[in-house]
Amino acid sequence: MRKSARYSTLAAAGLLALSSLTACANDAASTASGSKGDGKGTKVKIMVGGLDKVIYMPAMLTQRLGYFDAEGLDVELLTEPAGVQAETALVAGQVQGTVGFYDHTLDLQTKGKAVESVVQFSRAPGEVEVVSTKAAGDITSPKDFKGKKLGITSLGSSTDFLTKYLAVKNGVKVSDFSPVAVGAGATFISALQQGSIDGGMTTDPTVATILDKKAGKVLLDMRTPEGSQKALGGPYPSSSLYMQTDWVDGHKETVQKLVNAFVKTLKWMSTHSPAEIAAKMPADYAQGDKALYTQSIESTLPMFTDDGVMPENGPETVEKVLKAFNTNIQNADVDLSKTYTTEFVEAAE
């Protein structure tokens, strides 16, 4: 894919308050790999757009399986509630990688930032558009978004992107509805129950909890390749590890080890049951209901690749979706070959 582009990073100062990260999340996510692998214990910081989200499960699972350690990497996983905030940490130079949606690489390219996916976790968004039980009669398709308050994780996030696309595709202008930043998990569910939003886009385990509480219903399910095809017209590569291109080019050995670890995890996921996967994750991710958490993994599992390879025609689908509403991309010639590389997954051991 890309090889020659070089761009400077943004100054780190003031772009992201990492103090907002909870100590418990960082304690659970950090590891000191010691002298395994090549003996170097290379330090890498990765920001995840929500460590407890099932769509980003490979990040924590790779650590829990010991695959970072086996590659001689000392990986610190940090967490932010939304992918766009994780993106900000990357371009600020505060972390070396981000586990988030691939679509950010296209958006960043239009802003002069060379960022690329080095391993693709998924072939579908893993997102679900839900409507509150109260509003279910009024919203039966995205055609009914007009005048409604729709929850997203944050402005500029992938949930924001996809919600706008679904609206425009169904004849509703972006200005005709109100996106409301409500995060995920408890804050999303509370907003749905209290009527602060009529519906919104979220992922598991939030979806499983909403259905269990009968707080809402599924309007569109994009947790499977079939669901992605129906809603978006093709495969939609979402969860990935993306990094700044100049950093990748300067640290190929480290990137290869990261990709090796993640590909091992994706293969492991493809040969183990949802219950076995759930058993490897931190106990608090289940929030006291292991059966419901296992169910949420089972519902989302079809989105994942088993080899880390970018799905065929995936980048084109993402570009089509973003062009539908994003004026930056509408007016730019995006070089898709520079938004991802298969160099490392092809060499993964």
Side-chain angles (χ1 to χ4, degrees), residues 88-112:
T88 302
L90 179 71
V91 297
Q94 295 169 329
V95 295
Q96 287 74 54
T98 291
V99 169
F101 268 40
Y102 161 72
D103 54 21
H104 290 291
T105 67
L106 280 71
D107 188 51
L108 285 167
Q109 188 181 113
T110 69
K111 299 170 183 175

Side-chain angles (χ1 to χ4, degrees), residues 320-339:
K320 179 199 73 173
V321 166
L322 297 183
K323 275 184 178 291
F325 64 88
N326 188 315
T327 54
N328 288 335
I329 292 181
Q330 286 171 353
N331 299 323
D333 291 324
V334 177
D335 187 342
L336 293 176
S337 71
K338 293 180 179 179
T339 61

Side-chain angles (χ1 to χ4, degrees), residues 47-120:
M47 185 68 78
V48 184
L51 261 176
D52 59 349
K53 294 178 182 177
V54 178
I55 58 170
Y56 298 142
M57 183 171 61
M60 178 58 76
L61 185 57
T62 300
Q63 191 169 82
R64 303 282 287 192
L65 291 171
Y67 291 158
F68 290 138
D69 190 75
E71 291 289 334
L73 298 171
D74 177 5
V75 174
E76 183 178 6
L77 298 175
L78 303 169
T79 187
E80 277 286 0
V84 66
Q85 293 161 337
E87 168 201 298
T88 302
L90 179 71
V91 297
Q94 295 169 329
V95 295
Q96 287 74 54
T98 291
V99 169
F101 268 40
Y102 161 72
D103 54 21
H104 290 291
T105 67
L106 280 71
D107 188 51
L108 285 167
Q109 188 181 113
T110 69
K111 299 170 183 175
K113 308 299 171 190
V115 174
E116 62 188 354
S117 165
V118 297
V119 56
Q120 195 62 47

Side-chain angles (χ1 to χ4, degrees), residues 173-241:
K173 296 178 183 178
V174 170
S175 58
D176 284 343
F177 69 93
S178 302
V180 184
V182 291
T187 54
F188 186 102
I189 296 168
S190 177
L192 199 66
Q193 292 175 319
Q194 295 174 9
S196 302
I197 56 174
D198 302 299
M201 190 172 292
T202 190
T203 61
D204 276 312
T206 307
V207 176
T209 304
I210 288 170
L211 297 179
D212 185 61
K213 291 178 176 289
K214 297 183 174 18
K217 298 180 179 180
V218 172
L219 182 67
L220 284 173
D221 192 339
M222 295 176 283
R223 290 176 290 189
T224 66
E226 296 77 16
S228 178
Q229 180 71 41
K230 184 177 180 180
L232 306 173
Y236 197 91
S238 56
S239 307
S240 66
L241 172 66

Side-chain angles (χ1 to χ4, degrees), residues 73-308:
L73 298 171
D74 177 5
V75 174
E76 183 178 6
L77 298 175
L78 303 169
T79 187
E80 277 286 0
V84 66
Q85 293 161 337
E87 168 201 298
T88 302
L90 179 71
V91 297
Q94 295 169 329
V95 295
Q96 287 74 54
T98 291
V99 169
F101 268 40
Y102 161 72
D103 54 21
H104 290 291
T105 67
L106 280 71
D107 188 51
L108 285 167
Q109 188 181 113
T110 69
K111 299 170 183 175
K113 308 299 171 190
V115 174
E116 62 188 354
S117 165
V118 297
V119 56
Q120 195 62 47
F121 299 160
S122 62
R123 52 193 175 171
E127 301 281 355
V128 177
E129 184 71 25
V130 298
V131 293
S132 70
T133 302
K134 181 179 179 181
D138 297 326
I139 306 175
T140 58
S141 85
K143 294 179 181 179
D144 301 321
F145 281 176
K146 187 173 182 179
K148 300 299 189 291
K149 296 173 291 184
L150 301 176
I152 55 174
T153 51
S154 66
L155 296 175
S157 66
S158 296
T159 53
D160 188 17
F161 291 164
L162 288 171
T163 301
K164 287 175 178 174
Y165 174 74
L166 291 174
V168 171
K169 180 188 177 186
N170 287 276
V172 179
K173 296 178 183 178
V174 170
S175 58
D176 284 343
F177 69 93
S178 302
V180 184
V182 291
T187 54
F188 186 102
I189 296 168
S190 177
L192 199 66
Q193 292 175 319
Q194 295 174 9
S196 302
I197 56 174
D198 302 299
M201 190 172 292
T202 190
T203 61
D204 276 312
T206 307
V207 176
T209 304
I210 288 170
L211 297 179
D212 185 61
K213 291 178 176 289
K214 297 183 174 18
K217 298 180 179 180
V218 172
L219 182 67
L220 284 173
D221 192 339
M222 295 176 283
R223 290 176 290 189
T224 66
E226 296 77 16
S228 178
Q229 180 71 41
K230 184 177 180 180
L232 306 173
Y236 197 91
S238 56
S239 307
S240 66
L241 172 66
Y242 62 84
M243 313 178 88
Q244 297 204 62
T245 297
D246 58 356
W247 198 92
V248 172
D249 286 344
H251 302 81
K252 287 196 173 187
E253 184 179 353
T254 299
V255 176
Q256 186 64 64
K257 291 176 180 179
L258 285 166
V259 173
N260 289 347
F262 279 125
V263 170
K264 287 177 185 175
T265 296
L266 292 169
K267 288 179 179 177
W268 188 92
M269 288 167 57
S270 72
T271 58
H272 289 75
S273 69
E276 290 172 321
I277 296 170
K280 290 291 184 180
M281 300 299 286
D284 61 340
Y285 283 18
Q287 298 182 346
D289 194 332
K290 196 161 189 177
L292 192 62
Y293 182 60
T294 301
Q295 179 186 319
S296 73
I297 291 176
E298 182 175 7
S299 298
T300 304
L301 213 49
M303 72 175 277
F304 293 106
T305 70
D306 60 5
D307 55 12

